[in-house]
Amino acid sequence: MIEARHLRVLRAVAACGSFSAAARELGCTQPAVSQQMRALEQSAGTPLLLRSGRDTRLTQAGEALLRHAAGVLAGLAAAEEEVAAIAGLRAGRVRLVSFPSGSSALVPGALAALRAGHPGIEVSLVEAEPPRSVDMLRSGDCDIALAFRYPQAAAPSGDRAGRGGGASSPSAAAAAAGRGAGEGPGPGAGAGGGTRDAGWEGLVARPLLTDRLVAVLPDGHRCAGAGRVGLAELAEETWIAGCPRCRSHLVEVCEGTGFTPRIDFATDDYPAVVGLVGAGLGVAVLPELALASVRPRGVVTLPVEPAVRREVVALTLPDLERVPAVAAMLDRLESAAAREASAGAESAAGREAAG
């Protein structure tokens, strides 16, 4: 009979590459790991590991069992959490993974609200961007992953929970649907897997808000007094963007308007981007959510044309969605996102009135 504790050991051995490293990860002895692996192989009726010196690798049967282990362990965790929650959410645990601007703008309010209502629930937070955060969710290393996608052309989800500004046109949405996996056409706009909903099959996606991308310009810039700015108007500017791996979406959106941006400064730190722009060293495009916790000294922010938006969502597994502590965290994230969207709409209306 295959036991959950044996599956946890198998997952640790596969991840760490050796019995000794798995023992350190699990906080037990190497003989204990060896004993549990022998018991698992006896239950499976076939070898699961190939040993070469101190290193180990999975057999075909081991790989098959490992693929199912994450789902089995997630189901067991869901059952344990539901049982603990019968007494009224006096206990529970939520492991949250978020991309940086979500961590600064959405997570604090959601965590504070959850703690106020259910102080017995333990919450942990680590930062990771898609597709890494989605991989962590699928492998059982977290319960909720904050992620985002750039909607496809004419996708109805593109204007849900908008943060001020009108609906994007099909051509604008098409320009937005690039390949970047990171935060957007600036720092963190990583390559591969973060757009649309590729790789989200079988997951529960709770929509949170639609985040508009804006141009960040020095306050003395020739376009600073305009109500909005076309990306093509910035074709001759010096640009500030993320690392070479993280700027693919910026380049793709700009090329869609007829130019390739000249990127002289690369940083994945949003305050650094704002500081460089404020010093007159270039221009940038950032998600509004990334600017929510940054003091924008010496800069102005303007909507860009074509409009670019991303949909921010909370992802979880179907089994975990039924766990009361996870469901409560999802509800608090939804409320925090609604507050952020409302504040963004008010700010946008104030800028338009001032203009």
Side-chain angles (χ1 to χ4, degrees), residues 323-336:
V323 176
V326 174
M329 185 75 250
L330 289 171
D331 290 342
R332 301 314 187 277
L333 285 168
E334 201 167 41
S335 297

Side-chain angles (χ1 to χ4, degrees), residues 260-281:
T260 299
R262 191 185 84 226
I263 300 170
D264 285 357
F265 302 100
T267 175
D268 292 322
D269 182 71
Y270 292 122
V273 172
V274 172
L276 289 168
V277 173
L281 297 174

Side-chain angles (χ1 to χ4, degrees), residues 2-352:
I2 296 177
E3 300 182 25
R5 60 194 177 99
H6 295 156
L7 293 179
R8 293 189 182 96
V9 172
L10 175 66
R11 188 172 66 177
V13 171
C16 298
S18 69
F19 283 10
S20 58
R24 290 193 295 271
E25 175 72 16
L26 296 170
C28 62
T29 64
Q30 181 176 338
V33 170
S34 300
Q35 182 180 8
Q36 293 197 45
M37 284 306 307
R38 283 196 300 271
L40 180 57
E41 289 182 323
Q42 289 175 359
S43 298
T46 186
L48 302 174
L49 295 171
L50 296 175
R51 301 166 181 83
S52 176
R54 296 185 177 182
D55 296 328
T56 62
R57 61 186 178 90
L58 296 175
T59 64
Q60 185 177 1
E63 291 175 350
L65 184 56
L66 182 64
R67 283 197 302 271
H68 292 283
V72 171
L73 294 174
L76 288 174
E80 292 170 355
E81 294 288 354
E82 284 186 304
V83 170
I86 291 175
L89 281 173
R90 290 199 297 265
R93 180 190 66 176
V94 180
R95 298 167 298 165
L96 181 63
V97 175
S98 175
F99 55 92
S101 62
S103 298
S104 62
L106 300 179
V107 171
L111 291 183
L114 184 71
R115 177 166 293 182
H118 306 290
I121 296 178
E122 298 179 2
V123 182
S124 62
L125 170 67
V126 297
E127 284 193 348
E129 295 189 6
R132 172 57 182 154
S133 57
V134 180
D135 291 341
M136 292 176 67
L137 178 62
R138 290 192 182 280
S139 65
D141 294 325
C142 71
D143 304 311
I144 298 173
L146 287 191
F148 51 87
R149 59 187 170 193
Y150 291 92
Q152 299 181 37
S157 62
D159 296 311
R160 216 166 9 197
R163 295 169 49 90
S168 56
S169 66
S171 60
R179 295 186 301 274
E183 288 263 20
T195 62
R196 305 178 184 176
D197 55 2
W200 294 5
E201 294 84 0
L203 301 179
V204 176
R206 178 83 67 93
L208 297 179
L209 55 79
T210 300
D211 190 19
R212 181 174 62 175
L213 274 64
V214 296
V216 185
L217 310 176
D219 56 14
H221 191 274
R222 55 185 170 79
C223 297
R228 59 189 62 243
V229 61
L231 286 175
E233 297 179 67
L234 306 176
E236 302 302 320
E237 302 285 347
T238 297
W239 284 78
I240 301 161
C243 65
R245 187 187 65 83
C246 301
R247 65 179 64 145
S248 62
H249 193 71
L250 168 64
V251 174
E252 183 168 306
V253 172
C254 291
E255 288 179 345
T257 64
F259 75 97
T260 299
R262 191 185 84 226
I263 300 170
D264 285 357
F265 302 100
T267 175
D268 292 322
D269 182 71
Y270 292 122
V273 172
V274 172
L276 289 168
V277 173
L281 297 174
V283 301
V285 171
L286 295 177
E288 282 190 311
L289 202 61
L291 294 168
S293 57
V294 177
R295 193 172 293 178
R297 293 178 177 174
V299 304
V300 295
T301 59
L302 297 174
V304 297
E305 292 180 344
V308 183
R309 295 178 175 88
R310 62 178 185 173
E311 185 182 11
V312 178
V313 302
L315 299 174
T316 190
L317 296 171
D319 283 338
L320 291 174
E321 186 187 26
R322 298 194 296 270
V323 176
V326 174
M329 185 75 250
L330 289 171
D331 290 342
R332 301 314 187 277
L333 285 168
E334 201 167 41
S335 297
R339 290 192 297 270
E340 183 64 31
S342 177
E346 291 178 2
S347 176
R351 287 195 300 269
E352 290 177 5

